[in-house]
Amino acid sequence: MKYFITGGAGFIGSNFIRYLAMREPEAEIINYDKLTYAGNPDNLSDLENNGRYVFVKGDIADAETVDKHIRGCDILINFAAETHVDRSIGDPRDFITTDIVGTYVLLEKARKYSIKKFVQISTDEVYGSIEKGSFNEDSTLKPTNPYSASKTGADRLAFSYWSTY
């Protein structure tokens, strides 16, 4: 299996890659990350000498660069996102570009290259706030800021591709 993992230099993505490398030692892993404030290549320094792991610095909204690296992949897992509510309130543009346009680019490439599985990583923020209990996937979506709205947009776009294609 060949994996294309976006946002793999972040906390959750890097831990997933490490888990995947241990669980599937024969898997090829491409870690595609823009290395913004949330990405740290040192998170995966222990895999640098693993011949099945490759790091590529790139932006998921850059269709041409994604195209160069995604060919031949079987599974795409999208951890890449602009994050943090406060940052989105200050300037939502990067959130729209990465979370929505970037997800669109990945979905189109997955369609073009017949990727077998596309996993979109979301956030609980898409459901808004809750006083008691917890949300589930059937809960009403109530994004209340540009960050949660951009993640909701990406999630719904991914769902629409699954439903349509």
Side-chain angles (χ1 to χ4, degrees):
M1 248 345 128
K2 187 172 183 179
Y3 291 82
F4 189 81
I5 300 176
T6 65
F11 177 75
I12 298 171
S14 63
N15 280 288
F16 177 79
I17 288 174
R18 192 172 294 101
Y19 168 78
L20 180 62
M22 285 189 312
R23 183 163 183 222
E24 295 185 35
E26 299 301 312
E28 295 177 59
I29 303 168
I30 298 172
N31 176 8
Y32 189 88
D33 197 296
K34 191 175 175 181
L35 294 181
T36 62
Y37 63 93
N40 182 351
D42 292 339
N43 286 344
L44 290 163
S45 60
D46 55 319
L47 293 180
E48 286 177 356
N49 296 320
N50 181 327
R52 297 190 181 280
Y53 170 79
V54 175
F55 173 78
V56 176
K57 184 176 180 185
D59 183 344
I60 64 171
D62 178 354
E64 188 176 311
T65 304
V66 169
D67 197 79
K68 289 177 188 174
H69 299 284
I70 199 169
R71 292 180 191 154
C73 290
D74 302 294
I75 297 173
L76 188 160
I77 303 174
N78 183 22
F79 288 95
E82 291 293 332
T83 61
H84 302 305
V85 171
D86 291 347
R87 288 187 60 250
S88 76
I89 293 168
D91 184 4
R93 178 181 297 274
D94 288 344
F95 291 76
I96 303 304
T97 301
T98 299
D99 299 350
I100 298 175
V101 175
T103 299
Y104 159 75
V105 167
L106 295 175
L107 288 163
E108 279 296 302
K109 298 306 174 184
R111 199 161 69 95
K112 177 180 179 181
Y113 293 111
S114 300
I115 302 286
K116 293 174 189 164
K117 184 180 280 190
F118 185 110
V119 179
Q120 172 67 18
I121 304 301
S122 190
T123 176
D124 65 337
E125 294 278 344
V126 300
Y127 300 110
S129 297
I130 192 167
E131 297 278 330
K132 274 185 174 180
S134 59
F135 295 113
N136 64 49
E137 289 183 356
D138 294 321
S139 297
T140 302
L141 298 172
K142 291 184 182 176
T144 59
N145 54 69
Y147 164 61
S148 60
S150 67
K151 288 299 288 182
T152 302
D155 294 351
R156 299 318 299 163
L157 188 60
F159 180 82
S160 77
Y161 269 64
W162 173 80
S163 178
T164 303
Y165 303 110

